[in-house]
């Protein structure tokens, strides 16, 4: 094999590889990282294929190997190709997902001296060449930057090239060093024998001098190893000047010691044995075990209500896979919100769990990556990108809360969905996938119903309490409140219940889904929401123009003054934010301590944990929050959850609005009654009859699913089609619209001439019409084979393509 197909780290490379010749002296493998000349630059590349023939006539040579050991496994090479083809992303973007953290760095060029050839004539060199050669020979190896400093930037390059040509020097390349290395902490230790330190301390003490120094010396004399300064501060002495004084006397030294920040502190964790399973858990586990025994790729949906013991099934399935000499990857929606889950895994598999956490420094992430690749961990836990961890002998992938939207990367290329990537990867490695959820994604459940995935059900909580396994849910019709003259944010039922809970020294969560807060207008009297007649989605209100806009078809209409249905005025009720809610709660419940939890309140590093632990310690009675409060928290004192408005999620112009509402309400409802006190949920809405709200209030996934899948079928939305969302952005709005219309005509022609069954929807302004100073217009494609169709089309600069978008807003 004399040629390599290389994915090159350049924006020009797009979805293709480039052919390079392999120099005779280099051993090249698939998955290896190399330096390749590209234009007039030297760039990083990953070898994806070896071949006896180049794909083009003229090739250049691979310049050097970055790391001898391949960075991508053969399965990862296939996976990267699939991601690039399916999500239409540049190939290197896909490859980069699997590289060690901090890999994408610049090349540093070094120049080394060679042994001087016998026929060398020094007088043939120019004075500058001689100077450069002397510099290189004196040191053996210098960086090109160093030569540049001596000779000037432009000249240095040319002179080094001449020396290389004459065989007097060679070039080599290294990665720039990682900027953030491991963390270093100051340690203190004695610079003298302990006995000498004790004598000195005794001498000082006798003279009654420097008593702080005496104490520090005596303390250090008792230690067998250097002590972290933080520990010294805690135990004997807080004053750094005291330590420095002893350093000046030559009795003590500072040491900088590299510390590894362990994501898991095993000190506080006691190993836990497997629990006894319920019969439902047992039969689920048996099905998974037999799939593991077969060793063929298979996907399971583990559908279990909150508290039904899904995690125990994951744990025992992992134990099984480890027993078979393989390893697992466990994905969670957001690592910062799941410390309790991580502890459970760590206590079941002590010292065998790696946690991929974005709060580790780059250097630490890099170390962790290496250790995973070396097979040091049975289990890797992390958020979506952990699916690309270099876990060898992969046997099991668990995706917990598989319906969560964080599993889709939608802010940058590649816009992949972790679930689909995991199923692909399992297909390539023969691994088993477990998708776990209490409220599965509608598409996932559809596939499970059809038998594409195996459906496993855990219908009951492991420890039902007092006959009421799930919290009691009450739906309050806000139209009735208005009729009764109550204009506050809190219905009578909610106010009374909050006051009662606070009086009982119990805790309350007030939930507000702020996303898209003020985008639709709704009649406060009858709950009517204006929708587009053509598209069957709510119209979005644009306050600046006082207009309503359809974000599907660009239909525009002035906002009415009165409600078209009940003819009352007051239709422009625009919802509220968390700050306003906090204000009103303070006014309505003056005795209660309030705590707000939203992204504004959690800017700092540990704020999540801080806010949560303050609430857990009962330093506040009412927690006010957005989506975050809905996620996996165990708060035993919470007996009441109030959903202030269920309608915000419901009225997004998106085919997933019903699903999103159902999931949010189900999750929020799951927060109440986790302790022995039981729980209650109150949902306030103008649309109490809506199927998503009804089903959530009865904890009835099946009835929600049946209704939802019917609508999806009728409207030909996923899973009965696939979608692609094309967005064009530009600083000029009119230009943006014209460009979007032009591309629509181009696509329409193409679809027509190929005779494809693909629908084009739009163009229309994107739901977030203006983002960071640029206007955005979108086109939606609906049908099958969208990636294939779009891969044959060259879109002008400025377009982004999202295959299988999460939603259309
Ligand atoms: Zn009305
Ligand atoms: Zn429309």
């Amino acid at each position: 094999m004399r040629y390599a197909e290389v994915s090159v780290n350049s924006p020009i490379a797009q979805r293709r590889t480039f052919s390079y010749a392999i120099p005779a002296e280099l051993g090249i493998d698939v998955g290896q990282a190399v330096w390749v000349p590209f234009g007039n630059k030297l760039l990083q590349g990953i070898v994806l294929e070896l071949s006896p023939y180049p794909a083009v006539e003229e090739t250049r040579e691979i310049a050097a190997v970055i790391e001898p050991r391949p960075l991508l496994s053969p399965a990862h090479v296939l996976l990267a190709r699939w991601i690039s083809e399916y999500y239409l992303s540049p190939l290197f973007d896909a490859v980069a997902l699997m590289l060690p953290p901090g890999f994408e760095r610049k090349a540093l060029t070094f120049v080394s001296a060679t042994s001087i050839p016998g026929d060398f004539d020094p007088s043939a060199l120019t004075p500058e060449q001689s100077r450069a050669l002397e510099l290189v020979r004196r040191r053996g190896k210098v960086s090109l930057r160093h030569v540049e400093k001596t000779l000037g930037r432009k000249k240095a390059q040319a002179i080094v090239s001449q020396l290389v040509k004459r065989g007097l020097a060679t070039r080599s390349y290294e990665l720039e060093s990682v900027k953030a290395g491991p963390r270093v902490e100051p340690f203190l230790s004695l610079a003298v024998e302990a006995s000498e330190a004790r004598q000195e301390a005794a001498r000082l003490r006798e003279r009654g001098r420097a008593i702080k120094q005496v104490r520090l010396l005596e303390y250090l004399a008792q230690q067998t190893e250097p002590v972290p300064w933080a520990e010294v501060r805690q135990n004997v002495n807080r004053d750094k000047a005291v330590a420095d004084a002893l350093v000046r006397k030559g009795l003590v030294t500072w040491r900088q010691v590299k510390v590894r920040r362990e994501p898991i502190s095993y000190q506080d964790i006691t190993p836990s044995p497997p629990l006894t399973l319920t019969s439902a858990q047992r039969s689920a586990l048996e099905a998974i075990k037999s799939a593991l025994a077969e060793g063929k790729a298979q996907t399971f949906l583990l559908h279990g209500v909150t508290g039904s013991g899904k995690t125990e099934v994951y744990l025992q399935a992992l134990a099984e896979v480890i027993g078979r000499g393989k390893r697992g990857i466990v994905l969670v929606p957001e690592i910062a919100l799941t410390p309790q889950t991580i502890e459970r895994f760590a206590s079941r598999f002590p010292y065998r769990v790696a946690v991929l956490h974005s709060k580790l420094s780059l250097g630490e992430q890099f170390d962790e990556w290496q250790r995973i690749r070396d097979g040091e961990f049975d289990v890797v836990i992390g958020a979506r990108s952990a699916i690309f961890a270099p876990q060898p002998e992969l046997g099991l992938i668990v995706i917990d809360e598989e319906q969560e939207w964080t599993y889709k990367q939608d802010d940058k290329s590649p816009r992949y969905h972790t679930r689909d990537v995991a199923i692909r990867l399992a297909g390539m490695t023969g691994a088993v996938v477990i998708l776990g959820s209490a409220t599965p994604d509608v598409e996932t459940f559809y596939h499970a119903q059809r038998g594409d995935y195996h459906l496993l059900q855990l219908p009951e909580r492991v420890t039902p309490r007092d006959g009421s396994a799930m919290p009691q849910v009450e739906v309050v019709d806000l139209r009735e409140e208005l009729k009764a003259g109550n204009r506050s944010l809190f219905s009578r039922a909610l106010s009374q219940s909050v006051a009662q809970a606070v009086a009982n020294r119990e805790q309350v969560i007030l939930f507000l889904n702020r996303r898209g807060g003020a985008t639709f207008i709704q009649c406060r009297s009858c709950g009517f929401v204006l929708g587009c007649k053509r598209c069957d989605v709510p119209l979005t209100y644009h306050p600046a123009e006082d207009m309503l806009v359809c974000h599907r078809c660009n239909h525009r209409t002035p906002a009415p003054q009165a409600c078209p249905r009940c003819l009352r005025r007051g239709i422009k009720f625009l919802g509220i934010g968390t700050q306003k809610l906090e204000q009103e709660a303070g006014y309505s419940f003056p005795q209660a301590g309030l705590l707000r939890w939203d992204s504004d309140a959690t800017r700092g590093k540990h704020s999540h944990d801080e806010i949560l632990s303050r609430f857990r310690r009962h330093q506040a009675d009412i927690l006010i929050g957005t989506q975050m409060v809905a996620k996996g928290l165990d708060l035993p004192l919470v007996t009441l959850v109030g959903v202030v408005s269920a309608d915000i999620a419901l009225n997004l112009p998106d085919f997933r609005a019903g699903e999103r509402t159902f999931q949010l309400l189900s999750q929020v409802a799951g927060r109440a009654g986790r302790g022995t006190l039981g729980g209650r949920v109150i949902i306030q809405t103008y649309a109490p009859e809506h199927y998503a709200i009804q089903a959530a209030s009865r904890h009835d996934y099946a009835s929600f699913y049946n209704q939802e899948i019917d609508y999806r079928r009728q409207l030909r939305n996923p899973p009965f089609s696939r979608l692609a969302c094309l967005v064009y952005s530009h600083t000029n709005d009119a230009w943006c619209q014209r460009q979007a219309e032009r591309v629509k005509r181009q696509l329409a022609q193409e679809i027509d001439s190929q005779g494809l069954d693909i629908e084009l929807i739009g163009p229309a302004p994107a739901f977030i019409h203006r983002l960071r100073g640029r206007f955005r217009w979108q086109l939606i494609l609906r049908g099958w084979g969208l990636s294939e169709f779009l891969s044959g089309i060259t879109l002008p600069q400025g377009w982004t393509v999202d295959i299988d978008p999460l939603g259309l807003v």
Side-chain angles (χ1 to χ4, degrees):
M1 298 292 177
R2 297 198 41 241
Y3 296 90
E5 288 297 313
V6 179
S7 167
V8 182
N9 186 6
S10 160
I12 312 165
Q14 287 301 318
R15 294 203 295 277
R16 56 170 292 203
T17 55
F18 293 81
S19 299
Y20 285 91
I22 301 172
E25 71 275 16
L26 291 185
I28 296 288
D29 256 327
V30 169
Q32 210 168 27
V34 290
W35 292 116
V36 289
F38 196 80
N40 57 4
K41 288 193 188 121
L42 191 72
L43 299 180
Q44 292 177 322
I46 300 291
V47 175
L48 298 192
E49 211 181 313
L50 297 176
S51 121
Y53 310 102
V56 289
E57 250 174 56
E58 277 196 39
T59 57
R60 296 164 80 178
E61 283 195 339
I62 290 176
V65 167
I66 298 179
E67 215 195 282
R69 219 169 129 191
L71 295 177
L72 264 64
S73 67
H76 277 172
V77 167
L78 288 175
L79 190 65
R81 283 208 187 258
W82 178 78
I83 288 174
S84 168
E85 275 161 30
Y86 185 74
Y87 294 105
L88 301 167
S89 81
L91 187 53
F92 198 85
D93 284 359
V95 164
L97 295 168
M98 299 156 206
L99 294 174
F103 177 80
E104 284 176 76
R105 281 168 273 155
K106 286 201 201 96
L108 294 180
T109 307
F110 287 85
V111 187
S112 309
T114 55
S115 49
I116 301 261
D119 58 350
F120 173 63
D121 174 13
S123 66
L125 294 183
T126 66
E128 276 170 334
Q129 286 171 348
S130 302
R131 238 176 102 198
L133 183 63
E134 201 194 303
L135 185 76
V136 173
R137 293 195 61 84
R138 201 166 56 223
R139 298 213 181 179
K141 181 178 173 185
V142 295
S143 71
L144 182 62
R145 271 187 207 160
H146 188 83
V147 184
E148 285 172 355
K149 267 184 207 146
T150 321
L151 293 171
R153 205 173 160 165
K154 272 190 190 156
K155 272 188 191 157
Q157 301 248 8
I159 291 168
V160 166
S161 292
Q162 289 152 9
L163 293 181
V164 170
K165 225 176 245 170
R166 287 169 181 268
L168 297 168
T170 56
R171 278 199 198 92
S172 60
Y173 309 97
E174 285 173 24
L175 279 183
E176 208 175 36
S177 59
V178 182
K179 283 184 191 79
R183 198 165 64 156
V184 172
E185 267 181 20
F187 277 58
L188 265 186
S189 67
L190 287 180
V192 294
E193 292 293 324
S195 56
E196 194 182 326
R198 284 201 192 91
Q199 279 170 19
E200 179 62 20
R203 216 164 52 80
L204 285 170
R205 194 184 273 282
E206 247 167 55
R207 288 196 267 153
R209 290 188 51 199
I211 201 67
K212 284 182 178 171
Q213 292 182 23
V214 172
R215 281 202 204 111
L216 181 53
L217 268 180
E218 284 172 347
Y219 174 77
L220 290 174
Q222 288 164 17
Q223 313 297 323
T224 48
E225 278 172 13
V227 190
W229 171 238
E231 219 174 294
V232 174
R233 276 180 60 111
Q234 218 173 27
N235 295 337
V236 269
N237 166 55
R238 305 184 63 81
D239 190 357
K240 190 164 171 291
V242 174
D244 286 336
L246 289 174
V247 170
R248 279 194 300 275
K249 290 182 184 170
L251 296 166
V252 162
T253 48
W254 285 110
R255 257 180 229 199
Q256 299 298 320
V257 177
K258 279 187 202 165
V259 288
R260 226 179 76 82
R261 239 175 306 178
E262 293 284 352
I264 305 169
S265 139
Y266 281 99
Q267 284 164 348
D268 313 332
I269 290 176
T270 37
S272 73
L275 306 177
T276 310
L277 300 180
T278 63
S279 65
Q281 283 174 315
R282 207 162 40 235
S283 62
L285 183 65
E286 285 312 316
I288 294 164
K289 275 185 174 175
S290 62
L292 290 170
E294 271 179 58
K296 273 198 317 215
Q298 292 182 58
T299 303
F300 291 89
L301 170 59
L302 183 60
H303 178 209
V305 297
T306 316
S308 61
K310 292 187 287 292
T311 308
E312 189 58 34
V313 176
Y314 306 154
L315 287 166
Q316 298 199 20
L318 282 165
E320 173 76 14
V321 97
I322 294 164
R324 293 183 171 276
K326 294 193 167 186
R327 298 162 207 279
I329 293 178
V330 177
L331 302 172
V332 292
E334 230 170 306
I335 200 96
L337 295 178
T338 43
Q340 292 146 328
T341 310
I342 291 166
E343 272 176 30
R344 270 190 82 180
F345 282 86
S347 72
R348 189 65 57 87
F349 308 107
Y351 302 99
R352 307 293 300 159
V353 176
V355 177
L356 294 179
H357 205 297
S358 60
K359 279 182 184 154
L360 297 177
S361 74
L362 199 55
E364 287 165 326
Q365 289 181 42
F366 182 76
D367 288 349
E368 207 74 346
W369 191 93
Q370 300 279 8
R371 294 178 63 192
I372 293 169
R373 185 172 65 164
D374 291 340
E376 281 189 38
F377 302 103
D378 292 326
V379 182
V380 173
I381 303 183
R384 66 169 177 248
S385 60
I387 189 64
F388 302 110
Q391 184 72 310
E393 287 97 35
L394 185 61
L396 181 65
I397 303 169
V398 173
I399 306 187
D400 191 30
E401 304 289 341
E402 64 85 34
Q403 82 290 348
E404 280 291 337
W405 289 24
T406 50
Y407 285 124
K408 166 90 177 178
Q409 171 157 298
D410 61 357
D411 53 346
K412 59 177 186 240
S413 157
R415 293 178 165 75
Y416 68 89
H417 199 299
T418 314
R419 189 199 307 126
D420 297 320
V421 168
I423 292 171
R424 281 281 151 180
L425 179 60
M428 290 158 182
T429 54
V432 165
V433 178
I434 306 176
L435 308 171
S437 178
T439 54
D441 185 287
V442 167
E443 288 166 64
T444 304
F445 201 76
Y446 174 77
H447 286 299
Q449 291 272 311
R450 277 192 5 154
D452 304 336
Y453 310 156
H454 305 278
L455 181 60
L456 306 172
Q457 306 254 26
L458 302 178
E460 271 154 26
R461 285 193 169 184
V462 175
T463 48
R465 295 173 208 95
D466 327 326
S468 67
M470 298 294 278
Q472 180 200 339
V473 182
E474 185 182 334
V475 178
V476 172
D477 186 344
L478 287 174
R479 294 169 300 194
E480 296 301 319
E481 294 300 307
L482 223 55
K483 270 189 207 152
N486 175 15
R487 299 193 72 83
S488 111
L489 288 178
F490 307 110
S491 61
R492 291 158 296 177
L494 185 55
S495 309
Q496 280 162 17
S497 305
V498 171
Q500 189 62 53
V502 172
N504 291 347
R505 300 285 299 142
E506 293 160 6
Q507 287 184 304
V508 177
I509 291 176
L510 290 178
F511 174 79
L512 187 72
N513 174 23
R514 199 181 45 170
R515 190 167 187 258
T519 59
F520 63 101
I521 67 173
Q522 184 171 36
C523 173
R524 272 203 87 172
S525 305
C526 73
F528 182 72
V529 174
L530 273 163
C532 176
K533 289 193 180 66
R534 279 192 283 178
C535 307
D536 201 26
V537 295
L539 293 168
T540 300
Y541 182 56
H542 289 232
E545 313 136 83
D546 200 24
M547 289 288 272
L548 288 163
V549 179
C550 172
H551 283 273
R552 288 288 157 279
C553 71
N554 199 26
H555 166 70
R556 285 158 188 269
T557 177
Q561 293 303 310
C563 172
R565 190 160 75 188
C566 71
L567 305 176
R568 287 203 191 89
R569 296 178 78 81
I571 183 164
K572 274 189 254 169
F573 169 59
L574 288 168
I576 43 158
T578 40
Q579 294 187 11
K580 177 88 195 306
L581 178 58
E582 188 182 18
Q583 244 175 37
E584 287 233 3
Y587 181 72
S588 301
F589 315 111
Q591 268 80 41
L594 304 179
L595 198 57
R596 198 177 90 229
W597 194 22
D598 57 20
S599 47
D600 292 339
T602 55
R603 286 276 150 73
K605 220 181 176 184
H606 300 293
S607 303
H608 273 308
D609 303 342
E610 270 165 34
I611 291 178
L612 203 56
S613 68
R614 278 178 61 191
F615 192 61
R616 200 172 270 134
R617 289 197 304 267
H618 207 159
Q619 291 174 349
D621 306 297
I622 303 178
L623 181 67
I624 291 169
T626 54
Q627 278 91 318
M628 278 183 269
V629 306
K631 305 221 163 102
L633 309 174
D634 256 317
L635 298 165
L637 279 178
V638 173
T639 57
L640 175 66
V641 173
V643 178
V644 178
S645 167
D647 302 2
I648 297 169
L650 209 53
N651 287 296
L652 287 172
D654 186 1
F655 74 97
R656 288 201 169 96
E659 177 174 16
R660 181 145 180 81
T661 303
F662 175 79
Q663 284 176 349
L664 272 172
L665 294 180
S666 304
Q667 276 188 351
V668 173
R671 291 313 109 215
R674 303 282 283 191
T676 47
L677 298 168
R680 222 175 135 206
V681 179
I682 295 177
I683 298 174
Q684 303 193 137
T685 174
Y686 285 99
E689 65 291 335
H690 194 282
Y691 68 95
I693 292 175
Q694 281 295 319
S697 75
R698 295 193 309 264
H699 309 285
D700 186 354
Y701 180 80
S703 84
F704 159 74
Y705 172 79
N706 290 334
Q707 184 67 260
E708 178 70 24
I709 203 77
D710 262 5
Y711 286 137
R712 299 277 180 99
R713 192 178 284 116
Q714 278 166 35
L715 297 170
R716 206 189 169 214
N717 277 324
F720 302 101
S721 66
R722 293 212 181 247
L723 299 176
C725 186
L726 275 54
V727 174
Y728 181 72
S729 71
H730 193 270
T731 49
N732 182 319
D733 197 19
W735 167 264
C736 215
Q737 180 173 4
R738 278 201 303 278
Q739 175 67 234
E741 278 159 1
R742 204 164 72 213
V743 165
K744 182 187 183 174
R745 282 194 298 276
Q746 182 197 346
L747 293 178
Q749 251 171 31
E750 201 61 40
I751 289 168
D752 209 36
S753 73
Q754 295 184 33
L756 298 172
D757 181 19
I758 294 175
E759 225 179 314
L760 285 169
I761 304 162
F767 185 68
I768 299 168
H769 185 198
R770 204 171 167 191
L771 191 67
R772 289 187 283 274
R774 296 171 76 87
F775 292 92
R776 301 159 78 239
W777 280 68
Q778 73 182 21
L779 257 175
I780 292 156
L781 277 69
R782 183 156 62 187
W784 296 103
L786 302 178
S787 305
E788 223 181 333
F789 168 65
L790 286 168
S791 70
I793 292 187
T794 314
L795 291 170
Q797 281 261 308
W799 283 90
T800 58
V801 178
D802 188 353
I803 300 287
D804 302 336
L806 270 186
L808 298 175
V809 300

